[in-house]
Amino acid sequence: MNLTKEEQKNLHIAIRQFLYFLTTFAFVGIIYLLTKNFNNQTFNENGVVENIQLMFLLSSVVTFLYCALTEEKWRELSFLLASVSLLASCRELDKVFDQILPILSWKFAYLFVITATIYAWKHYKKTLKTILHFFGMPSFYIMCIAVVMILPVAQCIGHRPVISAVLGPRFTRYDIAVIKELFEEALEVVGYLLILLSAVEYKINIKEHK
């Protein structure tokens, strides 16, 4: 069967999405193995899962910066995406920045986003055009799923009052804290993996768009 270029492109997208699904599924299996080794320390502050989260985010930053430096047409948008990923990376290092910058802490990283936004605004016509193209890319939809995982799902399901209400008074504050970390950190780390996968897909989409 002869496929048109558009059909071939769609087939390649579907294959990549399936590979991303398998990657995510395999990673959940890795989390399961980590819990066997680290037990109730798995999701602790500065624990193994938080370190993996940081690794995913920094890898995303590097990928977006690579796109910014190698693809001039997409530079402004790539810098914006890199700055948001860098902000999230600093947020994951909040305990470290609490000690280094007691008052400002990790919030100084908003400067990266502000700087990238100002740079994009200086070339707003070009930025708007690339953003509208981005809205039609598979990488955008993966990123949307990631944001849903990280913000409303992880933060709401991992919200302490919700867990306390469900478990009732028979559980101690320590039990509730452990369960909170389980839900919140597990969902977040999957979301950060999806951010990294969206960065990889973003690079591929740019190449296809050319």
Side-chain angles (χ1 to χ4, degrees):
M1 181 175 64
N2 294 323
L3 300 177
T4 65
K5 288 185 177 180
E6 185 67 22
E7 290 169 339
Q8 290 176 14
K9 178 183 174 182
N10 292 338
L11 179 60
H12 293 159
I13 290 172
I15 292 171
R16 289 198 304 272
Q17 300 305 309
F18 180 67
L19 292 175
Y20 298 151
F21 167 78
L22 290 181
T23 300
T24 306
F25 200 90
F27 178 69
V28 172
I30 291 172
I31 293 293
Y32 176 79
L33 294 176
L34 290 174
T35 61
K36 292 291 185 181
N37 289 320
F38 294 94
N39 301 312
N40 63 351
Q41 305 296 313
T42 307
F43 301 99
N44 280 4
E45 286 282 346
N46 301 320
V48 60
V49 168
E50 280 213 347
N51 289 331
I52 293 173
Q53 290 175 348
L54 185 61
M55 179 187 70
F56 286 158
L57 286 169
L58 291 177
S59 298
S60 300
V61 172
V62 170
T63 305
F64 286 129
L65 285 178
Y66 177 78
C67 292
L69 295 175
T70 58
E71 302 290 347
E72 192 275 336
K73 180 180 177 181
W74 299 85
R75 183 161 297 159
E76 293 79 8
L77 176 59
S78 299
F79 275 137
L80 276 172
L81 295 173
S83 70
V84 174
S85 297
L86 189 55
L87 172 66
S89 301
C90 294
R91 176 64 182 85
E92 289 303 318
L93 289 170
D94 57 339
K95 295 295 183 183
V96 175
F97 288 118
D98 283 345
Q99 297 176 355
I100 300 174
L101 302 169
I103 298 176
L104 192 59
S105 187
W106 62 272
K107 297 179 183 66
F108 80 94
Y110 279 108
L111 289 173
F112 300 129
V113 180
I114 293 170
T115 302
T117 302
I118 292 172
Y119 178 72
W121 181 253
K122 287 183 177 179
H123 309 85
Y124 71 93
K125 289 184 179 180
K126 178 184 171 188
T127 303
L128 179 60
K129 188 174 181 180
T130 54
I131 286 175
L132 292 176
H133 281 306
F134 178 56
F135 287 163
M137 291 178 171
S139 54
F140 173 71
Y141 300 108
I142 300 173
M143 198 173 294
C144 287
I145 295 171
V147 172
V148 169
M149 287 281 293
I150 295 165
L151 294 177
V153 178
Q155 299 305 316
C156 290
I157 295 179
H159 195 44
R160 187 186 298 271
V162 174
I163 295 172
S164 298
V166 172
L167 297 179
R170 65 184 181 278
F171 284 85
T172 66
R173 291 177 62 87
Y174 174 77
D175 294 330
I176 292 171
V178 170
I179 295 170
K180 173 187 179 298
E181 293 299 318
L182 166 63
F183 282 116
E184 186 176 328
E185 300 300 329
L187 290 169
E188 279 187 356
V189 74
V190 173
Y192 292 145
L193 171 61
L194 291 175
I195 290 289
L196 176 56
L197 294 177
S198 74
V200 173
E201 180 69 14
Y202 176 72
K203 174 59 181 171
I204 296 171
N205 294 162
I206 289 175
K207 184 178 179 181
E208 289 178 338
H209 185 75
K210 289 169 63 177

